[in-house]
Amino acid sequence: MDKETKELLKRTLTMTDDKLLLKFAKSYAAKDQAFAEAIIEKFLPVENAVDYEKMVKDCFLHRKKGGARRYGSSLDWTVIRKDIKRVLKQLNYLNHQQDGTTAAEGALLLLETLADEFESDCVYEDYNYQNSNYGNEEALDIVCDVLLNDNHVDRDKKLGMVQRLQQLAKHTVYRSYLSCGIDGVINKAQQHLLSPEDLLKEIDKKIQMAKYSSDKAHYVKWKVNVLYELDRNDEAEKVITQYLDLEDISAMRYDQMVADGRYDEAKALCKSKLSKNSDNRSDVQSWHERLFSLGRRTDDKETVLESARWFFAHGNVSQKDKKDYFHLCHESIGEDQWPAYRDKMFQEGKAGNVSIDTVFELYQEEQLFDRMFLYLKKLSDAVPYYSYDPYQNVGGERLVFFSRYAHFLTDAQRTDMVNAFTESIRKFSRYANTRDRYAQVAKALHLLSQSCEMGRQKARLLAAQILRENPNKPAYKEEINSYEY
């Protein structure tokens, strides 16, 4: 090849898309036997002759040109990821050709090298590594397939691979950045490779080393299931009893009791857990859900009421559900006892998460209008306050709910509230100096006018007074006149 042709070829290859080159090579090889054989000889991995160490090492030689930094030039991860993809194709091919040892060893080395290079370099990268595929998941899939399915790789080699995976699982990169389920592969491999006794010993180690209760519960469940599979039921029951402080394990015991029809024991377990988990609302709710379900199943009204009352006052459920629990309690309690029981529910609900809307709706249903008035007096009257309405207003929550429920109050109560709101709006209107503030005043007047006849009259008079006092504020006039009073 002469120099000119060589230069033209170099330029052409540089400018040509990889996919187009691959398509051309396939097409040309189909016509030229020698060309096809040359490609096969050059690129086809040969069993027992693949230098996977060099393949992996070469992936991480690419560095960015220029842009020197304090720690030297950074790795060019765009090119590296392409090389990793190519190596993974070759490793997959070897795996399919029953050379699982080379495939798994190459994949493990890739995972190890990737972790080390990523840790030392990617802290300084300016792109989002979370959205990039580094091939770690694909490499782990190769190792997993060999460990579980390749009968040509002896057990000792596989156990050695598991030990390398255990070291990788501790690596910061796979813990914090490029997670790919290494722990899960280790667990599957150990269950597949170890004898029952050795497996139980490994699980015990995992239980002792678990930092989080969720991880510990996972391994305890695993141990219990292994024991059940070995028909060592008494040992499995002892393990469950030993770890009943873990939520998932106590839930397992509950499920066993219900499945066996041991409902009284299941109720006792629920109540025991509720007495111990008072500081964790999520756990408390889970056990109240179980207790409520048991009460329904066994027609135990007292149990149903206990949980329904808790759900109303404290449960993380919809406000519609809270009203349903309230109604359920009403249906179950005698009319003579209901007022006292209802009052306790409302008192408990104030410390929970019953919405103001729900409280007012239930006050209306129960015709507790004096309490409605007292509740109104306690609501926020901040100026301004972003209310449940889509606009700001100067009356806060109190004015919003007064405009909805004023017709349930006595004349004296309405007069008291209307006078207070009128004075509050008048004071705020004097300091209004922006269009947003003008809109707040106008919205407050509108809400006041919707409350009752006296409120409508007061709002109309106050609106006229504000316009007289601000003749040179056309925006003020425009906002106020956007409503009818």
Side-chain angles (χ1 to χ4, degrees):
M1 183 187 301
D2 59 49
K3 185 175 180 181
E4 183 178 355
T5 304
K6 187 175 181 180
E7 185 62 34
L8 284 173
L9 178 61
K10 181 180 178 182
R11 189 188 311 173
T12 302
L13 291 175
T14 303
M15 298 173 62
T16 305
D17 182 73
D18 291 346
K19 292 181 179 179
L20 292 177
L21 281 174
L22 179 60
K23 185 177 180 181
F24 172 79
K26 287 180 178 179
S27 175
Y28 194 79
K31 301 174 184 178
D32 191 318
Q33 179 73 13
F35 181 67
E37 291 176 355
I39 291 179
I40 292 171
E41 182 180 354
K42 177 67 177 177
F43 297 106
L44 178 65
V46 180
E47 187 176 351
N48 300 323
V50 175
D51 189 351
Y52 64 84
E53 293 185 5
K54 183 177 187 304
M55 287 167 48
V56 172
K57 182 179 179 181
D58 288 348
C59 288
F60 297 91
L61 295 178
H62 308 288
R63 294 195 170 272
K64 291 182 178 179
K65 295 180 181 180
R69 63 185 191 193
R70 178 182 174 185
Y71 298 95
S73 60
S74 62
L75 293 172
D76 190 339
W77 287 94
T78 302
V79 180
I80 290 172
R81 288 200 307 274
K82 289 182 179 179
D83 274 8
I84 288 175
K85 185 177 181 181
R86 173 180 52 78
V87 169
L88 286 170
K89 285 182 178 180
Q90 293 178 308
L91 295 176
N92 266 311
Y93 174 83
L94 291 170
N95 189 28
H96 294 151
Q97 294 300 114
Q98 297 186 347
D99 187 8
T101 300
T102 303
E105 292 286 349
L108 281 167
L109 182 61
L110 178 58
L111 287 167
E112 292 163 347
T113 309
L114 173 63
D116 293 337
E117 296 290 352
F118 187 95
E119 183 178 41
S120 63
D121 188 79
C122 268
V123 173
Y124 309 101
E125 285 299 294
D126 58 358
Y127 61 84
N128 186 358
Y129 65 85
Q130 291 177 327
N131 297 325
S132 300
N133 180 9
Y134 288 86
N136 47 306
E137 293 182 358
E138 292 86 343
L140 185 62
D141 287 342
I142 294 173
V143 179
C144 183
D145 184 53
V146 172
L147 289 172
L148 301 182
N149 304 314
D150 195 330
N151 297 325
H152 296 87
V153 181
D154 63 55
R155 179 175 174 275
D156 288 340
K157 279 189 177 180
K158 288 184 177 182
L159 290 175
M161 294 175 187
V162 172
Q163 289 180 349
R164 291 173 68 179
L165 284 176
Q166 289 173 327
Q167 292 301 314
L168 281 171
K170 301 174 184 178
H171 204 293
T172 304
V173 167
Y174 294 122
R175 281 294 178 196
S176 305
Y177 299 96
L178 305 179
S179 59
C180 52
I182 295 177
D183 288 329
V185 173
I186 294 172
N187 293 344
K188 290 178 184 177
Q190 288 180 330
Q191 186 155 352
H192 181 71
L193 297 170
L194 299 178
S195 66
E197 290 301 327
D198 288 340
L199 177 60
L200 288 171
K201 290 178 182 178
E202 285 297 323
I203 296 174
D204 282 336
K205 291 179 184 177
K206 295 176 189 292
I207 292 173
Q208 296 302 319
M209 294 175 62
K211 294 182 179 180
Y212 305 103
S213 59
S214 58
D215 292 337
K216 181 177 287 189
H218 169 77
Y219 294 125
V220 171
K221 280 184 179 180
W222 187 7
K223 182 176 182 179
V224 169
N225 290 332
V226 171
L227 290 170
Y228 278 137
E229 289 173 4
L230 297 172
D231 291 327
R232 293 158 61 173
N233 298 341
D234 290 343
E235 291 181 57
E237 288 295 316
K238 288 181 181 179
V239 172
I240 293 175
T241 302
Q242 180 183 355
Y243 291 100
L244 276 179
D245 58 312
L246 298 173
E247 285 301 302
D248 288 350
I249 305 307
S250 52
M252 177 188 284
R253 170 60 59 82
Y254 169 87
D255 291 339
Q256 288 176 333
M257 290 175 174
V258 173
D260 295 339
R262 295 149 54 195
Y263 299 131
D264 290 340
E265 292 180 56
K267 288 178 189 176
L269 177 61
C270 288
K271 292 181 179 181
S272 172
K273 295 298 294 185
L274 287 171
S275 66
K276 296 177 181 178
N277 292 325
S278 57
D279 294 333
N280 190 324
R281 179 173 293 190
S282 176
D283 291 341
V284 171
Q285 176 150 327
S286 296
W287 287 104
H288 268 297
E289 288 171 354
R290 296 183 179 98
L291 193 60
F292 186 82
S293 175
L294 275 175
R296 289 282 204 182
R297 180 181 294 214
T298 59
D299 196 25
D300 184 344
K301 292 183 179 179
E302 183 178 345
T303 296
V304 170
L305 277 174
E306 179 183 346
S307 291
R309 180 168 163 177
W310 185 90
F311 277 117
F312 171 77
H314 307 289
N316 183 20
V317 298
S318 70
Q319 295 302 312
K320 178 183 179 302
D321 287 342
K322 286 185 178 290
K323 287 187 283 187
D324 289 342
Y325 286 121
F326 184 89
H327 296 150
L328 176 61
C329 291
H330 194 173
E331 293 168 5
S332 304
I333 298 295
E335 288 301 323
D336 293 341
Q337 298 175 318
W338 172 241
Y341 193 93
R342 175 197 62 201
D343 291 349
K344 288 181 179 179
M345 288 186 70
F346 279 129
Q347 186 176 3
E348 292 168 358
K350 292 176 184 177
N353 57 350
V354 181
S355 74
I356 300 174
D357 296 87
T358 299
V359 171
F360 272 91
E361 289 174 16
L362 294 177
Y363 277 163
Q364 180 182 337
E365 287 182 14
E366 297 290 316
Q367 298 185 2
L368 301 173
F369 302 128
D370 286 341
R371 291 195 191 179
M372 184 182 287
F373 173 68
L374 294 175
Y375 201 98
L376 273 171
K377 298 279 284 184
K378 294 179 181 179
L379 291 179
S380 170
D381 196 27
V383 181
Y385 180 91
Y386 190 78
S387 73
Y388 296 93
D389 267 29
Y391 305 97
Q392 287 182 321
N393 63 84
V394 300
E397 291 172 311
R398 188 183 300 177
L399 179 52
V400 173
F401 284 99
F402 178 68
S403 69
R404 296 180 192 174
Y405 293 98
H407 56 288
F408 293 111
L409 305 180
T410 64
D411 289 342
Q413 290 169 341
R414 283 196 290 267
T415 298
D416 183 8
M417 298 294 286
V418 168
N419 288 336
F421 285 128
T422 302
E423 183 60 26
S424 177
I425 297 169
R426 179 183 287 113
K427 287 182 179 179
F428 185 73
S429 69
R430 293 170 182 166
Y431 300 100
N433 55 5
T434 66
R435 190 167 195 116
D436 287 343
R437 297 291 186 176
Y438 304 155
Q440 291 166 13
V441 172
K443 181 60 179 179
L445 291 170
H446 174 64
L447 289 171
L448 183 59
S449 71
Q450 289 184 318
S451 61
C452 57
E453 179 59 27
M454 180 183 179
R456 186 181 67 81
Q457 294 175 4
K458 290 279 191 178
R460 182 181 296 177
L461 292 172
L462 183 54
Q465 178 184 341
I466 291 172
L467 292 178
R468 287 196 304 272
E469 293 174 353
N470 298 275
N472 298 322
K473 296 181 178 179
Y476 216 158
K477 180 178 180 181
E478 184 178 332
E479 292 294 339
I480 289 178
N481 288 338
S482 64
Y483 296 100
E484 293 184 3
Y485 308 104

